[in-house]
Amino acid sequence: MNAANSQLRTLLPRESLLWIFAAQLAVLLPQFAHLPLWLVGAWCLAVYWRLEVFRGRREMPGRLVKSIAVLLAIAGLALTYRRWFALEPMVALLAVSFTLKNIELVSRRDALLSLMLAYFLAATLFVFEQTIPYALYGILCTVIITAALAAQQGRASARPQRALSMSAKLLAQAVPVMVLLFVVMPRLGPLWAVPQNGASATTGISDSMSPGEFSQLSKSAKPALRIAFDGAVPPPEQRYWRGLVYTHFDGRRWSEPGVSDGFSHWSRGRSRLQRGAESEEQPLPAVGPRYRYRVIQEATHSPWLFAMARPNSKTRGVRETPDDTLVYKMPVANRLAYEVRSWPRESISGQDELTSWERRRNLQLPPAGNPHARQWAEKQIARGLQPEQISGELLDLFHQGFTYTLRPPVLGADSVDEFLFGTRQGFCEHFASSYVFTMRAAGVPARVVAGYQGGEWVEQEEYLLVRQYDAHAWAEIWLTERGWVRVDPTAAVSPERIRDGLQSAAADEFMEDSLLPLHKIGFVSRLRLQWDMINYRWYQTVVSFDSERQQGVLQRLLGEISPLRLAVFMAAPIILALVVLLIWLNISSRGPRLPAASRQYLRFCRRMARAGLARNPGETPGEFAHRVARELPRLGPMAAHITAAYEKAAYAGDPAAEKQLRRLVRSFWPMRIIR
Amino acid sequence: MQKIISAIVADIGKVLLGKEHQVKLALACLLARGHLLIEDLPGMGKTTLAHALAQVLGLSYNRVQFTSDMLPADILGVSIFERDSGQFRFHEGPVFSQLLLADEINRSSPKTQSALLEAMEERQVSIDGETRQLPEPFFVIATQNPLQQSGTFVLPESQLDRFLMRISLGYPTREAERALFQGVDPRVQLAQLKPRINIEGLKKLQSLVRQVKASDSLLDYLERLVQHSRQSPECAVGLSPRGALALLHAARAWALIHGRGHLLPEDLQAVLPSVAGHRLQSDGVDGSQLVERMVHQVDIIAA
């Protein structure tokens, strides 16, 4: 046992082990963020044990220890995740097996197995992140793993520089194949779908709105949406990206019941059923002013999508809700791209009636609280004003003496009253909330809409970048003749917020809390936009290259997709590359061009070879001529002439001899003379 | 000129029967202003060759038999106080001659060897702070015995490199040996040899060697030979630039001996074993075998 072990120990040299550990570290490093902490410890322990074995201080673990390690690891996974069929536990399982392999890393075969696993684990990184930095890191991982593979060959090739350059060379050679496969390889759907962990924190707009929530968002400059238009572009004041509709108010919080409790049972499905017949009666008009655009949404971990009213999307998994918003079939855990067509509401004539259920929903108010606001509303009704006039009165009120600020004073229990008749300082959510409350109190169906407003053009209007601080809340009221009408109370107070965005509306308070006021430096802002541009292109060209776009590209390249054409398309570049390589090798091995006399003499030699007498490499022309005279006496005199002329031309520098040589060789046909 | 050269070769051939090739090589070496190392067993005619060359070329000739207790002063000379004049007077050693035969050079200590080899390279001697020019021309023909290496000091590679050529004479052919038995005693013949050329003539010949034309094609071939010696896995050490230059010079002298004003590949091939044999090294294989393989492998015309 001991002798066998010590013999085994010599099988994997030190460099080989270190390379494997380096590759493992490179692969696991970004995964450590997702993996449980004990797994990191386990990896360190396994590596330590293996190194101790190498130093001869410890034996390779026996079967018992290994079994215990496996049991512990599985128990650890079970305790950490409590469920098996999700993505994280699967990746963790892979990482665990990868880690445990270290304690039985004995032979060359084990080393190769571990490194192959490393490739696989490196690929799982892209399950979580698909951005450029991670892609670059993925390439780095591949370089290191390949270098580790190259280093397994032995001492000399294990030197870091050599192994890495070897690896880089190999990968560089593989790039054309990679590009080809990227374009041609069929995109297979997953064999089974593993749900991703839904527990990760949601970002962006949440399922409820309470005072202070949007001012949190206003501190983040992270991108939320990127919107590229195909054709007409809506004017800035129309750029309201609707995400969620809040109808329920509990006195403090606006929310939408049933939105947050999961993607599978979406409680408003019921209302959709009710309206199902109506929407078939009133399909969206086929023509008319509409906007076509493609939205790329960052991961939000919530199912709602963002679009202008009234949206329609043909992207798979996206459907419309009765509230004229879009939802995805599951929470958006990765960047998602979807195509949208929007019809402005004004363009759709003949709105349907509000059902009584909907009416109740949009008039709901808490039984008590905010008496002043209710009073104000009743006063307006008593004056006999129409809903539109009431709205106008309210906006007028906002217009007088209200200020738009990112740091509104804290509000107490009757938040609407305090805001309307007390502090009069607020953010979009305050305006939207109090507006909807008051309108409802006045008997007008109203609701709060949350989403994003505005956006910033990037790179000559290639796409519109909407950031988290563009988050906005506004209101919609139901007017009998016109249907749902958007009213933005913020616009009454601070029109520049709508026109120019938050940055100019609240210049002093904007992004005040950030450590460095980078947004104030124009150069940095431009750099950020540039970076966003690169990210956008990356997503457009690489990440979102799905089977549909693949078909498109192939169709454009090939005209028609048939197996034969595909085969030709794949083989042609390879054959072309090989031919070029062949030609290049031929040219590069030929060396400098020979002088004319030597070329003539070589012609003579070739003809002699065909006649059955080849010159040996080290045979001088003189010796060759002697041999010719000896073995083929009939050719002797001619060969002697040619040789003499060649020697004169090539070695004595006689130009006349060169001409003579050419003449002699031209008329020299040994085959004829022999016959 | 050509007549003189053939007369020289013929004259030496009378003394050293059947060794025309070696005689020509030795002559080429001297014409190329190089020194010659003859490696052979005793009694093969090394001394005879040296002596005959000196006689025919009309050079002053000295012979030193190297022994292990020899000191540099024994070769270079020594200053001795003379009571008559009350001064030190320099007594020139045997090195002050036009042709020096250093017999069994590997018997002496490295110190003595290096003193001689320095004189060979610099063509001058520095003693007591005074530099003395050696006579012009100055040739050294050294011999060494390849067998019985006990008690000898093998010449290191750097010293071997000082010799333009290393040749060995080898046993004579049957006919040559029969002629030797039947003919006049070579020693008598040697004494009868008359100089065929004077110093001026010799210098003229040496300058003619430098005028032998080497064409581009030939230099390409030379380059390929040198590169092959450096890149071939067989050779541990390739030809140095000095070695390559020596090859070119020797080949020129060879071409001149054969009455040509330009170099042919044959000339390079003819002198290559003698010039490169002692400069190339390899594990276990003799340099001359390497050269032979090299000649067969390197193409004369194309790469």
Side-chain angles (χ1 to χ4, degrees), chain A residues 330-405:
Chain A
M330 56 178 175
V332 180
N334 280 317
R335 248 184 221 172
L336 177 72
Y338 46 94
E339 310 283 344
V340 189
R341 294 177 300 162
S342 287
W343 282 260
R345 285 214 181 89
E346 302 84 65
S347 68
I348 307 170
S349 52
Q351 292 295 322
D352 28 300
E353 281 293 304
L354 209 57
T355 60
S356 60
W357 184 82
E358 290 254 321
R359 197 172 180 81
R360 270 206 310 283
R361 203 171 136 234
N362 286 305
L363 281 172
Q364 174 270 341
L365 281 179
N370 298 315
H372 291 312
R374 289 177 202 249
Q375 241 169 33
W376 188 88
E378 276 155 23
K379 211 160 68 193
Q380 306 304 324
I381 299 171
R383 283 168 62 194
L385 295 179
Q386 290 301 304
E388 272 178 289
Q389 290 166 318
I390 300 175
S391 167
E393 286 290 321
L394 190 52
L395 291 180
D396 272 350
L397 182 69
F398 283 144
H399 198 58
Q400 301 155 6
F402 276 75
T403 35
Y404 181 79
T405 172

Side-chain angles (χ1 to χ4, degrees), chain B residues 238-259:
Chain B
L239 275 179
S240 63
R242 179 159 67 180
L245 215 54
L247 188 57
L248 186 61
H249 281 318
R252 279 182 159 139
W254 185 264
L256 185 74
I257 289 174
H258 289 82

Side-chain angles (χ1 to χ4, degrees), chain A residues 471-541:
Chain A
H472 191 47
W474 61 95
E476 279 175 359
I477 54 171
W478 177 268
L479 299 175
T480 325
E481 316 84 53
R482 293 170 59 193
W484 286 109
V485 172
R486 185 183 64 230
V487 178
D488 191 348
T490 312
V493 183
S494 172
E496 61 270 23
R497 164 68 182 86
I498 307 308
R499 204 179 53 238
D500 305 329
L502 182 66
Q503 196 162 352
S504 60
D508 298 338
E509 295 169 337
F510 178 70
M511 300 280 281
E512 209 176 28
D513 295 349
S514 55
L515 277 176
L516 294 166
L518 288 176
H519 62 278
K520 286 181 184 158
I521 308 168
F523 170 68
V524 177
S525 302
R526 271 203 308 282
L527 266 188
R528 279 183 170 180
L529 282 182
Q530 282 292 334
W531 174 239
D532 194 80
M533 180 74 205
I534 293 167
N535 260 313
Y536 174 77
R537 295 241 166 95
W538 165 256
Y539 186 80
Q540 280 280 48
T541 50

Side-chain angles (χ1 to χ4, degrees), chain B residues 157 166 233-237 277 280-291 293:
Chain B
E157 289 79 27
R166 182 189 68 175
E234 288 178 338
C235 310
V237 176
L280 292 179
Q281 280 185 4
S282 79
D283 312 319
V285 185
D286 185 47
S288 39
Q289 284 178 30
L290 288 179
V291 169
R293 263 181 250 167

Side-chain angles (χ1 to χ4, degrees), chain A residues 571-589:
Chain A
I574 294 173
I575 291 172
L576 192 74
L578 286 179
V579 166
V580 168
L581 187 72
L582 194 72
I583 292 172
W584 181 76
L585 280 178
N586 212 353
I587 289 173
S588 66
S589 67

Side-chain angles (χ1 to χ4, degrees), chain A residues 601 615 617-620 650-651, chain B residues 215 263 265-266 269 295 299-301:
Chain A
Y601 184 71
R615 189 180 65 90
E619 200 170 20
T620 64
Y651 299 111
Chain B
S215 69
L263 274 173
E266 281 93 335
Q269 290 188 351
V295 167
D299 199 321
I300 290 164
I301 294 159

